[in-house]
Amino acid sequence: MAQWTSAVGAAQLARLLTSQQDRPPGPGSRRPPAYRALADGIRLLVLEGRVPVAARLPAERELALALTVSRTTVAAAYEALRGEGFLESRRGAGSWTAVPAGNPLPARGLEPLPPEALGSMIDLGCAALPAPEPWLTRAVQGALEELPPYAHTHGDYPAGLPALRAMIAERYTARGIPTMPEQIMVTTGAMGAIDAICHLFAGRGERIAVESPSYANILQLMREAGARLVPVAMAEGLSGWDLDRWRQVLREAAPRLAYVVADFHNPTGALAGDDQRRRLVEAARSAGTVLVADETMSELWLDEELGGAMPRPVCGFDPAGSTVITVGSASKAFWAGMRIGWVRAAPDVIRSLVAARAYADLGTPVLEQLAVNWLFSTGGWEQALALRREQARENREALVAAVRRELPSWEFEVPAGGLTLWVRAGGLSGSRLAEAGERVGVRVPSGPRFGVDGAFEGYVRLPFTVQGAVAEEAAVRLASAARLVESGGTAGGEAPRTFVA
């Protein structure tokens, strides 16, 4: 009986492997043998979760043809992986990926480290800040005061608490987008919202157009839903969308859905302008594509000149509500532990989403909804956001200064908001930097997590989640990881130092 649960084709594996570009070896250093480089490449793909554990690999001859190397090279690489515990084989069943005994299974998304690991590891994997106290405590206390009437009901509100739906609708109306409560559904975070939208609009095998790069966890959610992702390259730097490419993809691929982050895009930090938003909505409408606009970062402007001068929401260019579905959340702007999101759409779309929810999570926790409603109705949200912006602004300045000092060859533009830097890592492989970072005590997500089929190997994402001395130490550890990669260092490199903020 075969032990594999999925398969990776030779062409797909070749694309992933050939994306791993390293800087040419420096003086005194040598390239590893071809079989060793191939084994290391496959091992990195497994460790990063981009090739699943228990995935059947191509036969030696097939992969050799796809990579234009000898079969002997592939056979030696497979043998090395078997010896290290990353490959298992059985005559007649082929070879499939594995992880050595005692190793944690690799994650395919970006999940935070457990709290007990934070003493020795600086976590740059999760773009989330600590709660903006005292506002979290006050919101929960306010929610408890409002809870008794709800405790006498069944507590099941598939569309969300009426009071919170009305409050969210009022907030859109105040932004110049007239909205009724019937156009709002409260969800369990933005991920819950997008999952529901994908299941309603894009069945298995349907095309979904996505920015390239895009948010890693959303890409993985869509892959696991069976979607066929169609990447659309972003414009250079922080200039937002490439509208010519978007029009071409919408016209030629005819995707059922398109997912975009117009406000402080994750991971690049780009901010789309009013004209870009209007033109993308028009192109999506002409193509019959439903445009999903993720607004989770929209209130995290950090440069003061943007206060009160943000572009119009994407849904503002779709007054009939036939093209744009908007997703919002309290998790990025307030606290990741506050798993409250929402969808704004036409009433008939909301009714369909609510009806489908009976077979998913049924509803969102009442107490957390009451806490967010308390924040919105008392002005606590605006005061918490002011504190959040101040934290992120200071963190951004500290991280930018530290990276420029320790890694002067790394390239990036500083965004005006959001929580992330998108960094070209001086010609180094982002996957290898991520692996080396784990060994020196800094966890950083590599660029390919944010792309499709191995794109962005030369990038890493750095969030504004650490402050002061911790940001400086993170940059020092990243520089150590870069030196390991440049020297061709392998497991057993520099040991991480325990660091307490």
Side-chain angles (χ1 to χ4, degrees):
M1 179 179 177
Q3 301 298 306
W4 48 273
T5 57
S6 62
V8 181
Q12 179 189 6
L13 184 56
R15 285 196 303 272
L16 293 170
L17 288 165
T18 54
S19 72
Q20 296 175 338
Q21 300 296 326
D22 283 320
R23 176 178 290 173
S29 62
R30 294 182 300 173
R31 286 193 182 277
Y35 85 89
R36 182 68 262 172
L38 176 55
D40 286 347
I42 294 174
R43 177 173 53 83
L44 279 172
L45 293 173
V46 173
L47 287 172
E48 285 215 314
R50 291 191 284 138
V51 168
V53 175
R56 186 180 186 276
L57 295 186
E60 294 170 3
R61 188 184 303 277
E62 293 175 4
L63 186 57
L65 287 171
L67 292 172
T68 62
V69 300
S70 72
R71 182 176 177 182
T72 302
T73 297
V74 178
Y78 279 13
E79 183 60 34
L81 289 168
R82 277 190 287 269
E84 296 163 3
F86 286 95
L87 196 69
E88 296 181 11
S89 303
R90 179 176 297 170
R91 186 177 296 276
S95 299
W96 55 92
T97 56
V99 293
N103 276 37
L105 286 175
R108 302 196 74 183
L110 299 177
E111 77 294 338
L113 280 176
E116 60 269 19
L118 296 178
S120 60
M121 182 72 71
I122 297 176
D123 186 9
L124 297 182
C126 185
L129 290 162
E133 288 289 31
W135 299 106
L136 174 62
T137 298
R138 292 181 182 177
V140 173
Q141 290 171 341
L144 287 171
E145 293 175 2
E146 298 292 330
L147 183 61
Y150 295 93
H152 294 292
T153 74
H154 49 62
D156 187 2
Y157 297 89
L161 293 184
L164 181 56
R165 295 176 73 196
M167 182 60 67
I168 294 170
E170 286 179 20
R171 291 174 63 82
Y172 277 106
T173 300
R175 294 168 67 190
I177 317 297
T179 302
M180 305 178 294
E182 292 79 9
Q183 291 177 262
I184 302 295
M185 181 177 84
V186 180
T187 62
T188 307
M191 292 286 287
I194 293 169
D195 183 55
I197 293 166
C198 288
H199 279 88
L200 180 63
F201 284 94
R204 185 166 293 274
E206 292 275 9
R207 294 185 180 93
I208 301 179
V210 295
E211 297 153 322
S212 183
S214 187
Y215 180 37
N217 285 341
I218 294 296
L219 294 181
Q220 190 57 34
L221 181 156
M222 292 174 174
R223 289 187 189 101
E224 294 186 358
R228 297 164 60 190
L229 301 183
V230 183
V232 186
M234 297 285 288
E236 286 298 315
L238 299 177
S239 52
W241 300 317
D242 185 325
L243 268 300
D244 289 337
R245 288 176 176 171
W246 268 106
R247 277 193 289 265
Q248 180 182 1
V249 166
L250 292 173
R251 182 177 61 252
E252 296 178 359
R256 185 71 182 91
L257 286 179
Y259 168 76
V260 297
V261 184
D263 304 287
F264 311 120
H265 174 259
N266 187 351
T268 68
L271 177 65
D274 281 315
D275 187 56
Q276 288 179 309
R277 298 171 190 232
R278 176 184 56 78
R279 291 163 62 196
L280 184 57
V281 171
E282 290 173 353
R285 184 182 298 119
S286 296
T289 298
V290 175
L291 188 61
V292 181
D294 186 336
E295 287 191 334
T296 54
M297 296 281 192
S298 64
E299 296 188 85
L300 286 174
W301 50 265
L302 304 182
D303 290 356
E304 292 293 345
E305 59 268 23
L306 282 176
M310 284 287 290
R312 186 172 175 78
V314 176
C315 59
F317 298 94
D318 180 41
S322 59
T323 300
V324 178
I325 297 177
T326 303
V327 172
S329 173
S331 298
K332 290 295 186 185
F334 185 75
W335 185 47
M338 188 69 78
R339 304 303 305 158
I340 298 295
W342 52 86
V343 178
R344 181 200 180 274
D348 61 322
V349 172
I350 295 297
R351 286 193 293 269
S352 297
L353 288 170
V354 171
R357 196 172 195 179
Y359 309 102
D361 64 353
L362 295 178
T364 303
V366 170
L367 189 63
E368 291 185 28
Q369 292 188 71
L370 289 171
V372 172
N373 192 58
W374 183 93
L375 288 165
F376 284 159
S377 61
T378 62
W381 180 262
E382 284 70 26
Q383 294 182 68
L385 268 178
L387 176 59
R388 171 65 80 234
R389 292 188 190 110
E390 181 181 353
Q391 291 173 326
R393 191 180 298 119
E394 291 176 355
N395 290 356
R396 180 184 64 174
E397 293 171 0
L399 184 65
V400 165
V403 172
R404 283 177 171 163
R405 181 180 65 250
E406 300 292 336
L407 294 149
S409 67
W410 288 19
E411 303 171 54
F412 55 87
E413 292 187 43
V414 181
L419 291 172
T420 57
L421 283 180
W422 184 236
V423 181
R424 184 181 283 113
L428 299 179
S429 158
S431 298
R432 297 182 190 279
L433 281 167
E435 184 192 32
E438 294 278 354
R439 302 202 303 272
V440 300
V442 60
R443 182 171 179 262
V444 58
S446 67
R449 286 187 177 273
F450 303 89
V452 177
D453 280 343
F456 308 109
E457 184 62 56
Y459 288 79
V460 292
R461 189 194 73 174
L462 305 180
F464 316 141
T465 54
V466 291
Q467 57 185 349
V470 186
E472 294 177 6
E473 177 67 13
V476 168
R477 296 186 186 188
L478 284 171
S480 295
R483 287 193 294 272
L484 277 177
V485 174
E486 288 175 318
S487 66
T490 56
E494 302 175 41
R497 296 176 287 170
T498 300
F499 186 86
V500 180

